[in-house]
């Protein structure tokens, strides 16, 4: 049996995916430090998670831009160091040979069964071709528009029946999740799209005994909120308003410029402050597509809080991050953690991974340090036991 | 026996002291919320700490500005609400009648024994005049210049002997601490001055069975550091530099403009990042006196960190706070907590109060959320037990 | 003949109006400096403009909140100093007695002729009651939604005919402008609403020999743009993107939360960068209503520019302003300048006042220092000549 | 006669010098736009200034790092584009062959006459070797510590006499200036060092009929001050305080970390606000060496101003610039302008170039737009005449 772990990235030719696979190869080759990877902290040293060099990458995408070209563009944008993609040509070519055409929204609407079948077949052949016992499927494709509610979302049998009847009840992200579950792969929603977050699909994950986790990787502004809000709360300062403005370019900026999709992202951010502070806060968020920003994102947050005797004070911050550089190491963490979850035969929603997500499935715990403790407890207790 | 608790403020006519006593009276009278007071959070509801209305205020100062006048100025500066001091005239007058002339640096150098004696006598008569069983002395006077090391600082006997011989080995803050210990009062260093932080004085606190805590109230930039640095650490992001610039006015700005005193403040801030992150960080801090800022302080911090594959990113924040509004509720917390410590017969350095201090005595734990857990454990375990 | 000048404020009970009239009285009484008033700079000392004490205030509004109450609220919000409205009770009462019910959008749509007639009659009686030779009408009422184009907008005869026929072709702001022109009063658009900015109305101003000026007072972010963009241009630095985000509360914030009205405001901001720099710039602007901000506004702008050899650099600013405190002195400037224009028998659009406006009528000059030079030339040449 | 112009850079191996010569070659070769060069704006198209391709570069330095290596480091630091130095190898080698050992502070103190002689001889041979009619010497070497006043600074004869007697009255920068004047070359002080700014040396420039200009290139925070302060002034807003904090690395950061040298830089910044606004402003400035910043500089400025009726408002900005990218194009502008000045036989201090300097020689005009007008007038009037 192979100690290698299969990693199947939906959106496999995107920025996050390309950065993750190139970075994994770089760290494995000793060319880079695992900076930004949480599971590489000494705290987690005892846990038996796969080495980055043991990951085998493949993926689905709806575009055909070669990974090597995509990596070259990431060099231009300052995400990957000059020269790195060349040094890792073999790893990139290996991943290239495992890219398959993904399913589109149109496919999902018009022939959902066939689409699902195609994904299942791609995953199965990936698994057997590399003799992989464990596969983790991660969704890092473009954020989808929100989906209308449908009774079939509540019940596994209704859902499979609706698909058989060719009904357009699921977006691609959910079909990818279903396929993963079907082949016994773990599934991670790194985007705010539906993915596995429907009662019917979560039930299927339980039934098929696979772990799922999500959703929406927490990289920038929300990370800051999950750090600052608990701290202001601990000091009993009263947050009066918290306005956030994000400017970003890249494929993601363009996708989120579409107001409908932005909504799906904003919803996953909005719940958080009230959950942490215990009272509603006037907290508008805006996302602005500024093409010129390329792979970079700047968030400005303006926080007004009240102190003793009603005095108003302010905290403002600007966060200037390279989104893919922040997301990729977390994605690698999630892959390693899901491999551990497969090892431990976890099934259903793994809420202990809340640390990584803007909209954590299975919990309303949004305070970063509590999420870290949840994570530590989950990773370490099992080692001990 | 009186349930009232005596509060003796060194620097009793300063901004923090005046805000604290006015605010305590306002909350007690139902005119204001206890916003900014940590001990008023539901987490601590079970602990038996004194009500704000049970505090009796007095203090030492070296100026004679009436408290009412000082309060009026704090109204002008936006620290106290318009009309509040008038509504609380009786409380302010009561505290006024308990102000006594403090000891100066000159007194401490030229006749330390007499100075000490005078403080002890003021404290004792305060205690008996109000029939107080518990007194908490808090130092909120101007920050002193750092003090030269002396062998007498290491040993109680040597220290008392040096004082008897009239040697200039202690600054006023330490004499105030000694006096508190002598009369069985708890002592809190809210400033970065020496106070009780000499081995000899800490030993005396143990011997006299009084609790001491300190030092330097954590209100603004350091609070932010103790929140953000652990979060960046949890994400395994590597902090490359962290430059901080503080502009402030008021009495405090002027005192800290004196480079020697600033040093004492900066030292207590500098140790922190390395303690939290585990590696040294280039982290200059500057304090600038801008008189026009009045009671307000703005801190700007510029943090460069490295993410995956060496990509440099940035976090900047500005913190615009009213220092006394931030400090006063914490001071009231400390008073309530030290009353509890007296009740519990704690003795010596109470490191569990690290949450409140820039330079916590007795521990190197600087992470805010861990400090909160320490505090919670200390306050609640005893109630439970 | 009276040396006094009539000032009629549309939106006379709003923040800007109340601040302007209270401030004029305060400066006239020697209780305040004319800080923020451009025409009080030594540069303009020679020009014969009315004293603030010679202004007689009246106005239209659609609400009935007494000015004294409105002023009290402005004290609470930190716009007016504590005690000032009381000290100026007589001036406020005098203005109160000259407030009249304004016309609503409904009035303008359903009976435009009657509405116009009512305004004309109010203005005429104000003029004769105070024996005023000069009256300046300023629109500081809530921003209206943009108006659909109509052929009658192009031609005076068509326009008057449409009104006679009861057609809904003009919003209230334009009816106020028409009325001013009819009674020989100067008219200033301080808002982005239509006001006098239709060819037909501008032609009528020419014909009736009254000066008009506008539009949309330039107080915050746009002021900064008109300062920084020319400077970056002078250095031949290439602006790549300029994202602006404004959070504001107050009546104005609520009005602009309405996306349609916001559009009218955003349009007047958008033209500017290209006019100054000579090339199109990716420059999104957002306005966010945050009620908690009250009378305050914070704008954050994020500017990316390219320097030598394509290096990207950044300028970010936050502007934290009290809108009415910025607007009121400019309004008083405009009143003084329009009195001068009446004196000089200027007629039609007075483009020389571009300095004061986001969307200056009659010119595309947006560079602040060039606008200042235009203003200076206009004010002084006439004195000289 | 050659149309080529000699450019002699003191500090010829530094960041600014290397960026300037590489950039000039890049623009000449059509590989880059002249972004950041003011003299390339259409406004100046008519003036007859040398083409960048006609510049011949040489210089003095006290280190021997090859220009090619220095350029490679500037690529790593993001100042020069990847690949550019290689593409321009010939130009870099040509400049390399014209680098000569500079004089040190020690040389200037111990044998000033010999030091001066050596520079004169290097300049003369450069001139004749390339058959250059015009040479411009620019000082872009490390900032020197301020110099003690000496009577010889006031009078040319006394000065030459003191040098003959071997007195240590001049720092290297002034000897470089003297040498330039002696060989008939124009001299530009791009640093805050003494250079030509002594009455005796300015008189010698007049006498030898060469133009001199300075001092201290205006690239970042001061540029912003010279833009924003006039604008706030034009609006009659009262600046209450203006605190500036600069963090920078590189050779320059290290040099300025030395408090004495920093002083020389800060002095040249401090005079400015009062000159512009007409009243003194509390305006502290700090410079912090943060090695990790490399070639980048971030300035944060915090400006409090008063508006109508005393309301306090704020403007904050952060300027994130690459210093050499900002300085190099201005240096090339100055070279072109000084070639024009030589052509026009200007002599002595050329105050019309104030636009480029933090501490402009010969004028107290600090407002950027007025400086631009001065520049335009000087450049164009002569062409017209
Ligand atoms: N980078 C971050 O910080 C971050 C944080 C949280 C979430 N995310 C999410 O991660 C996702 C990826 O971000 P990115 O920057 O790599 O975006 P990207 O645009 O570079 O990549 C997305 C890829 O998904 C592909 N794709 C689109 N539809 C698909 C489909 N139906 N099937 C398969 N592939 C499809 C696209 O062709 C593209 O190659 C986005 O949804 C983003 O919102 C990113
Ligand atoms: N406000 C904050 O956020 C904060 C945070 C941490 C620490 N502190 C510290 O708290 C202290 C008080 O701050 P503040 O703003 O009230 O300052 P302040 O200047 O308003 O008050 C200090 C008072 O101490 C008095 N004093 C000086 N020397 C004395 C002596 N020898 N004996 C008795 N009184 C003396 C002064 O006369 C003055 O009334 C300062 O040392 C400050 O550094 C404040
Ligand atoms: N404050 C600034 O910096 C600034 C700058 C540029 C433009 N403006 C514009 O100035 C205007 C006034 O701002 P404000 O802060 O005083 O707002 P505000 O809401 O306090 O006042 C507006 C007033 O107009 C009245 N009004 C509404 N419709 C009316 C009508 N049909 N006839 C007569 N009155 C009517 C309202 O009842 C209200 O009293 C706004 O349109 C705003 O966009 C303000
Ligand atoms: N970059 C900017 O924005 C800017 C703006 C204004 C002024 N300046 C000034 O320009 C100068 C150069 O800046 P830089 O970033 O290139 O610095 P740098 O440290 O990279 O270069 C300075 C060079 O001067 C050389 N040098 C030192 N002493 C010398 C001497 N006696 N004779 C000859 N050479 C000598 C050094 O060896 C070094 O190579 C500095 O003084 C700086 O203050 C720069
Ligand atoms: Na203070
Ligand atoms: Na440098």
């Amino acid at each position: 049996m192979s100690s290698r772990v299969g990693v199947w990235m939906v959106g496999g030719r995107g920025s996050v995916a390309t950065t993750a696979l190139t970075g994994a190869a770089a760290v494995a080759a000793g060319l880079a430090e695992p900076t930004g990877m949480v599971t590489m902290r000494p705290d987690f040293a005892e846990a038996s998670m796969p080495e980055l060099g043991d990951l085998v990458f493949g993926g689905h995408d709806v575009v055909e831009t070669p990974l090597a070209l995509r990596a070259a563009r990431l060099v231009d944008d300052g995400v990957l160091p000059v020269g790195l993609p060349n040094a890792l040509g073999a790893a990139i070519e290996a991943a290239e040979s495992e890219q398959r055409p993904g399913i589109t929204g149109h496919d999902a609407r018009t022939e959902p069964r066939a689409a699902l079948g195609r994904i299942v077949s791609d995953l199965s052949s990936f698994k057997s071709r590399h003799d992989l016992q464990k596969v983790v499927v991660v969704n890092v494709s473009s954020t989808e528009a929100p989906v209308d509610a449908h009774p079939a979302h509540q019940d596994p049998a209704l859902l499979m029946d609706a698909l058989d009847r060719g009904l357009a009840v699921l977006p691609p992200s959910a079909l990818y999740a279903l396929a993963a579950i079907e082949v016994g792969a773990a599934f991670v929603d790194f985007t705010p799209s539906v993915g596995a977050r429907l009662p019917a699909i979560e039930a299927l994950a339980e039934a098929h005994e696979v772990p799922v986790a999500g959703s929406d990787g927490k990289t920038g502004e929300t990370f800051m909120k999950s750090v600052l809000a608990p701290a202001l709360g601990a000091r009993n300062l009263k947050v009066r308003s918290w306005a956030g403005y994000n400017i970003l370019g890249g494929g993601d900026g363009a996708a989120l410029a579409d107001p409908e999709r932005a909504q799906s992202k904003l919803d996953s951010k909005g719940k958080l402050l009230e959950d942490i502070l215990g009272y509603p806060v006037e907290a508008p968020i805006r996302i602005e597509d500024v093409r010129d920003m390329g792979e970079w994102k700047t968030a400005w947050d303006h926080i007004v809080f009240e102190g003793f005797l009603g005095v108003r004070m302010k905290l403002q911050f600007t966060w200037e991050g390279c989104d893919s550089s922040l997301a990729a190491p977390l994605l690698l963490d999630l892959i390693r953690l899901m491999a551990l979850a497969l090892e431990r035969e976890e099934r259903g929603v793994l809420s202990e991974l809340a640390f990584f997500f803007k909209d954590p499935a299975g919990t309303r715990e949004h305070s970063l340090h509590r999420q870290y403790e949840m994570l530590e407890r989950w990773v370490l207790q099992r080692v001990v036991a």
Side-chain angles (χ1 to χ4, degrees), chain A residues 341-383:
Chain A
L342 286 169
E343 181 72 34
R344 290 182 183 172
E345 301 182 359
E346 297 275 356
R347 54 175 77 172
V349 175
L350 198 61
S351 62
E352 288 86 348
L353 305 192
F355 180 86
F356 295 94
F357 299 113
K358 287 194 193 74
D359 182 21
T363 177
R364 293 179 67 179
E365 182 55 78
H366 287 289
S367 158
L368 190 89
H369 68 86
R370 293 226 188 83
Q371 293 174 331
Y372 191 86
E373 286 162 6
M374 281 166 66
L375 177 66
E376 229 181 345
R377 237 178 289 127
W378 178 75
V379 174
L380 299 182
Q381 85 193 19
R382 312 295 162 102
V383 162

Side-chain angles (χ1 to χ4, degrees), chain A residues 24-75:
Chain A
V27 174
L31 298 176
E33 296 295 311
T35 311
M37 284 189 64
V38 177
T39 55
M40 293 297 204
R41 300 194 73 207
D43 292 353
F44 300 104
E46 301 167 47
S48 78
M49 291 180 277
E51 301 296 317
L52 293 180
D54 287 337
L55 304 181
V56 181
F57 288 93
H60 280 123
D61 205 307
V62 295
V63 298
E64 297 184 1
T65 328
L67 288 174
L69 181 56
R70 186 76 204 218
R73 283 196 203 136
L74 290 168
V75 170

